[in-house]
């Protein structure tokens, strides 16, 4: 996310911020366990929350290289936004959320970080 510690991983390869958005109301957001910096994990569920997201564009020729750098349990999947559109974005393998803190009620990773 813009201005957070790992944002350079997008901007270093020419990533451009397009817009802020929100997911549809069927996601949960978790603070994953692991070393700093804190990382969010997003999973799709039947009954969830709308979560703030950022939509970025990456040059297509860097996408494969970028994917190789995404650490487990994160992955790239298709997110449904509240306007019905779909975008590719970070998701998380469900097993990693079993011991993670559910921070969905904040509705935003930034809000969670500001309160933590």
């Amino acid at each position: 996310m813009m201005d957070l510690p790992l944002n350079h991983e997008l901007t270093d390869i020419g990533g451009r911020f397009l817009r802020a958005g929100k997911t549809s109301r069927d996601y949960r957001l978790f603070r994953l366990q692991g070393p700093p910096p804190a990382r969010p994990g997003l999973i799709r569920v039947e009954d969830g929350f709308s979560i703030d997201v950022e939509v970025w564009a990456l040059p297509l020729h860097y996408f494969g290289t970028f994917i190789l750098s995404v650490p487990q349990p994160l992955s790239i999947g298709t997110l449904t936004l509240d306007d019905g559109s779909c975008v590719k974005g970070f998701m998380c393998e469900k097993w990693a959320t079993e011991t993670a803190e559910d921070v969905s009620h904040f509705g935003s990773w930034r809000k969670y970080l500001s309160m933590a």
Side-chain angles (χ1 to χ4, degrees):
M1 295 185 82
M2 194 178 319
D3 300 323
L4 292 182
L6 299 176
N7 184 242
H8 71 90
E9 293 179 357
L10 290 174
T11 59
D12 287 353
I13 59 171
R16 292 179 297 110
F17 175 78
L18 297 179
R19 64 186 171 98
K22 288 185 163 292
T23 67
S24 56
R25 294 190 56 82
D26 48 1
Y27 289 87
R28 287 204 174 259
L29 181 66
F30 295 85
R31 183 192 189 283
L32 301 176
Q33 292 190 3
R39 288 183 173 83
L42 189 67
I43 63 169
R44 192 162 190 172
V45 296
E46 286 186 29
D47 184 26
F49 295 82
S50 180
I51 305 294
D52 291 350
V53 295
E54 292 180 354
V55 179
W56 287 73
L58 289 178
L60 190 55
H61 59 279
Y62 283 118
F63 188 70
T65 302
F66 180 72
I67 292 298
L68 289 174
S69 72
V70 176
Q72 187 181 36
L74 299 176
S75 63
I76 302 297
T78 302
L79 304 175
T80 302
L81 302 184
D82 65 351
D83 65 4
S85 65
C86 293
V87 296
K88 298 297 180 195
F90 282 104
M91 299 199 65
C92 181
E93 295 179 51
K94 188 174 183 322
W95 65 264
T97 66
E98 293 170 4
T99 58
E101 178 183 2
D102 186 337
V103 298
S104 305
H105 60 282
F106 287 98
S108 162
W109 183 244
R110 286 186 192 283
K111 285 181 190 171
Y112 164 74
L113 289 176
S114 73
M115 300 297 227

